Amino acid sequence: MSIDPLQDPELGPIPAAERVETRDALRRPMHDLRISLLDRCNFRCPYCMPASEYHEDYEFLARPERLTHDEILAVARAATGLGVSKLRITGGEPLLDRNLPDLVAGLAELPGVADLAMTTNAMLLAPAARTLAEAGLHRVTVSLDSLDEAVFLRMSGGRGDLGRVLAGIEAAEDAGLSPIKINVVVQRGVNDHTVPGLLEHFRGTPHIVRLIEFMDVGNRNGWRMKQVVPSRELLKTIEARWPLRAVGRNYPGEVARRYQYLDGRGEIGFISSVTEPFCGACSRARLSADGTLYTCLFATNGTDLREPLRNGADGEEIAEILGRTWLQRADRYSELRRTDVAEAHHFSKVEMYRIGG
Ligand SMILES: C[S@@+](CC[C@H](N)C(=O)[O-])C[C@H]1O[C@@H](n2cnc3c(N)ncnc32)[C@H](O)[C@@H]1O
Ligand code: SF4
């Protein structure tokens, strides 16, 4: 396969219009790379890393098992050469990496990166926001499931401090890490009753709250369809209080369906992977902390990049593996999902904290 690097050694950067896009078996381009920096987290959200499973004896990846920043940069560089223009740093909790600003600076310098974002629980964001912005991070998405102290505490597995998370959001805003999106996983009977309060809090701010259906990622969160609040239902409840109007997608493949408050007090989004799957436009590749490339959030297997990286593969070889993997991609799990099969956890899927959402 011929590789199309962004940088011609003699001519310099190749204009975007001249790059050849790599498309998968369903004609979907690769536009985004999500980088899960580490599998550890300072929270134990029951829908992601339930404390009963991720206890103190749980063996997370040892440092040598994780990709180094240079290795991550090599993969990201190869990905941008194949048409990726959006990078997202995630985890686990990416802010647990003390050298995160260095990685951000390296990623920000890659040619063709139009969007460099991070998803975080924001517990450690306040002191880091400005440094990250200065290093080149464009924006953050903060996961915050409720503003009710007790519900928030429960949904962070007893680890979260709401005040610190809110301070993190404020610091991100001050540092210009915007637009800031607030991700809310909605679980029936757990935090659905607190959604209006959370929306009220962020109405009139530039932050965009996105209400996410509880997904059957991985096999350890005890997912049941009855815990999912379909976006349609939530939308009706919200509209009864604050009239909304649907607005178009910002770009093809955007996962959130967008709505604006009719009174002009901002925007919200719905991510409905369970009841209204969006595999058809999925342009995301996911890199786990141990260097496995996954082509679907619900994948069972991925492609190992760590071994070739450590055996001396150069950029072109890594791009070749990436390109080949993408060309063979035909995943559309959400569209084919059968909820009875998903509830029974019949087949193994990669856990969310390993590939970062
Ligand atoms: C795995 S976390 C990693 C980044 C960071 N620790 C955080 O929570 O923002 C990324 C996103 O996945 C979401 N997530 C995790 N498990 C989920 C599930 N079962 N269903 C829907 N979203 C989930 C989280 O709410 C978060 O917004
Ligand atoms: S959702 Fe994020 S904060 Fe919560 S356990 Fe998973 S990785 Fe940690």
Side-chain angles (χ1 to χ4, degrees), residues 47-48 90-93 119-121 143 183 185 215 217 221 352 356:
Y47 54 77
C48 178
T90 173
E93 177 46 46
T119 309
T120 171
N121 62 32
S143 305
N183 274 2
V185 175
M215 288 189 270
V217 253
N221 63 9
M352 185 70 125

Side-chain angles (χ1 to χ4, degrees), residues 2-45:
S2 83
I3 298 306
D4 175 37
L6 281 178
Q7 192 77 23
D8 183 292
E10 285 169 18
L11 302 175
I14 297 173
E18 291 173 28
R19 288 179 219 145
V20 177
E21 262 190 349
T22 304
R23 289 190 176 250
D24 72 6
L26 302 175
R27 305 285 307 139
R28 298 170 295 188
M30 175 165 51
H31 280 166
D32 314 45
L33 178 67
R34 302 197 161 201
I35 300 164
S36 178
L37 200 49
L38 70 183
D39 58 348
R40 287 162 200 265
C41 188
N42 44 358
F43 280 13
R44 287 293 180 274
C45 309

Side-chain angles (χ1 to χ4, degrees), residues 168-188:
I169 294 171
E170 212 176 300
E173 188 177 3
D174 290 346
L177 291 170
S178 52
I180 297 174
K181 293 183 180 159
I182 311 289
N183 274 2
V184 184
V185 175
V186 183
Q187 268 185 294
R188 194 183 297 285

